[in-house]
Structure formats: C-alpha cells, structure tokens
Amino acid sequence: MDNKKDIIILGIESSCDDTSAAVIKNGVLLSNIIASQKVHEAYGGVVPELASRAHQQNIVPVVDQALKQAGIDRNELSAVAFTRGPGLLGSLLVGTSFAKGFSLAAGIPMVEVNHLQGHVLAHYIQEKEVEFNPPKFPHLSLLVSGGNSQIILVKDHLEMEVIGQTIDDAAGEAFDKCAKVMGMPYPGGPLIDRLAKEGNPNAFEFSKPRIKDLDYSFSGLKTSFLYFLRDQLKENENFIEENQADLCASLQKTIIDILLNKLIKAAKQTGIKEITVGGGVSANSGLQNALRAEAQKRHWNMYIPKFAFTMDNAAMIAITGYFKYQKKLFTGQDAVPFARMSIND
Ligand code: KG4
C-alpha cells in the first residue's frame, strides 16, 4: 500500500488544563480537538488534582473524536507524539501514560515533544486549502504564555536558542495577577484584553523594569499596580469600578511596551526580520496590533498564529512530532514527564 509512505502523526497535549488530540498527515492538519476544563473557574486558578482527573475523563473521547474527524484509522498512524513537559506533573502523566498504552496497542513508535517547541512550531502547521507561507530560518520567536516570556532564536525546526527570558513572572502572570487584584476571575488576560478596547491606554502610568540584555521582568509591574490601586482606593473606594477600562488599557499597554522593547532590541542585534509570536498571550489583540504596526515600520515579516494555535493544542504537538519522526527521534516506554524543561530539552 503506498499509504506506508505517508507520515501520519497523532498528537496528544495534556500539560495544563486543556485536553487535546490532533492528527497531522504529511504536515497537513486533519483534526485538532480541544476540551477546555471549566472546573477551575470557581477556584481562581488551575487546581492540579482536578486538572489530571479531568484529563483522565477527556482523553479517550478526545482522541476518538480526533481520529474520526481526520478519517484516520488507528492502524494507519505512523507514531503517537505527546507532550513530555513542561507543565503540571499530574496532567502530563495522563497524556504520557495514554501515549505509552496507545503506542503498545497500535504497535507504533512514540515521539516525545517539548511543549515550548510546540508553541514555536505552531507556525509550521499547514491547513487544508489555506495558503501556506511558513516562517523562514532563522527567525525570532516571542513566546508569551502563562508560564513563559522568552525570545527564542529559531535556527531550524528543532534547533532553538533562548536569547532572552523573564527573570521572575511571565507576561501571562502579569495579566492574571493584576486582574485578580482588580477582583476579576481567572484567567484575567482575555478579560483585560476585552475591557482595554474601551479604555484610554495613556490614562495611568506604571513602572517599567530596567533589566539588562534581552531579559524580561514583570513582578515589579504587578507590585506597582497593586500599590497604585491601594493608594487610589484610600481616596475613592469605587476607583476600580469607575476606571476599569482605563486601568486595563493602561496595564495592557505597559505589558506590550515591555515585550516589544526587548523584541525590537533582539531584532536589531541579530539583524533578523522574520518574527513569530506564540503562546496564550499572543491572542491579545493589543499585542497583535502593536506587532503588526512595528512589523510595518521595521519591514519585519510578522507571523501571528490563528486563535486555536495560540492556546494549548495538540496540533502543535503533532507537527513537532512530525519533524522529530522524520529524524527518527523516538522515545522508549521508560519516558517520564518533566514539570520543568527548557526549550532545548
Ligand atoms: O499558553 P497558555 O494557554 O498556557 C499556559 O502557559 O498556561 O497561556 C495562558 C495565558 C494566561 O495567563 C492567560 O491570561 C493568557 O495566556 N491569555 C491572554 C489572552 N488570552 C490568554 N492574555 C492577554 N490577552 C489575551 N487575549
């Protein structure tokens, strides 16, 4: 059967609070199913134990649906790719254990995937009937999520170097923690994005970090935001409600300015004009607009992922698995998940 020449990868993602499965055939996406967990909303953050239980409930139906939607039978698959880390250990264990069982049952190899590489490589997912112009190498990737804020020099699909990163909080944490201070539910990032559209980004000024080289810091901003609100609330107990949109717009502008400042510096230092962005915070409309404007001004080729690929998804795991499969980078049954991993692990 000439089917054998096809490379068909089943991807599994379970690093945090989204259970996802995707099928990619010869680099083209056939399905990408994501079950997001609502159970955490009531707790103001992801509860690890609840997350792993929800993954256990979701993983079989999600994989089933991904295969069905792709029109792919289990015995047509070339390999199963899974997120080995970084992430919540209990959540990662569900995906890793599932991949092991699936690999044994289907008699196909396993490919382990670094979640961070997945976010970077989401730009290489080809969709059916959509024009495909992936970023050329080398490119710079701004990876901004709830756990990471990094600038990565991407030399090839599987060759990456972190050239700047946060020394404390991630950009997503800055959004979420400041939202919490304003009494908003978790995750606050999308809500701040929405409210910021109605506000004045220059209404308030918050402190920006002075950090060397290409590194980031967001914990000072969080503290400055907290103290500012504390002082204002002493004068007017309704300050937050009366200024919510302006607070969101000003905070968002500050975070965007911090992110862009170092990205521009990195582009100048390396001379690279091929720029990508990824991770949950890359869904932020203000950040996307600012990146597009900067790209136009500086003649960058800017790549912004579609919404489904900004959040945690198995399509990015499957595409990374596809590149690793071609290099025969397989994993044994003794693989254990890692809560912490850097981009090259
Ligand atoms: O990559 P991701 O889904 O997973 C983790 O790193 O856990 O990123 C989640 C982060 C959260 O901090 C969330 O508030 C943020 O991405 N986020 C946003 C937006 N959508 C998600 N932040 C700002 N604006 C958004 N539209």
Side-chain angles (χ1 to χ4, degrees), residues 44-65:
V46 177
V47 184
E49 178 58 31
L50 294 179
S52 39
R53 280 191 221 167
H55 283 305
Q56 279 178 332
Q57 283 171 352
N58 293 342
I59 196 147
V60 172
V62 163
V63 169
D64 212 36
Q65 209 183 333

Side-chain angles (χ1 to χ4, degrees), residues 87-106:
L88 299 171
L89 211 49
S91 292
L92 290 164
L93 257 175
V94 178
T96 307
S97 310
F98 182 90
K100 287 181 184 178
F102 195 97
S103 148
L104 281 176

Side-chain angles (χ1 to χ4, degrees), residues 135-157:
K136 291 172 273 304
F137 298 111
H139 67 83
L140 289 180
S141 175
L142 176 67
L143 179 56
V144 274
S145 69
N148 282 279
S149 295
Q150 299 185 326
I151 300 175
I152 300 158
L153 172 60
V154 187
K155 298 170 190 165
D156 205 346
H157 289 123

Side-chain angles (χ1 to χ4, degrees), residues 16-18 115 119 144-148 171-173 175-176 186-194 252 279-285 307 310-312:
C16 189
D17 58 344
D18 295 300
H115 182 85
H119 272 304
V144 274
S145 69
N148 282 279
E173 275 176 289
F175 273 108
D176 297 339
Y186 175 88
L191 203 57
I192 290 182
D193 188 357
R194 209 162 60 229
Q252 181 170 295
V281 179
S282 70
N284 185 270
S285 58
F307 179 72
T310 63
M311 55 194 290
D312 290 345

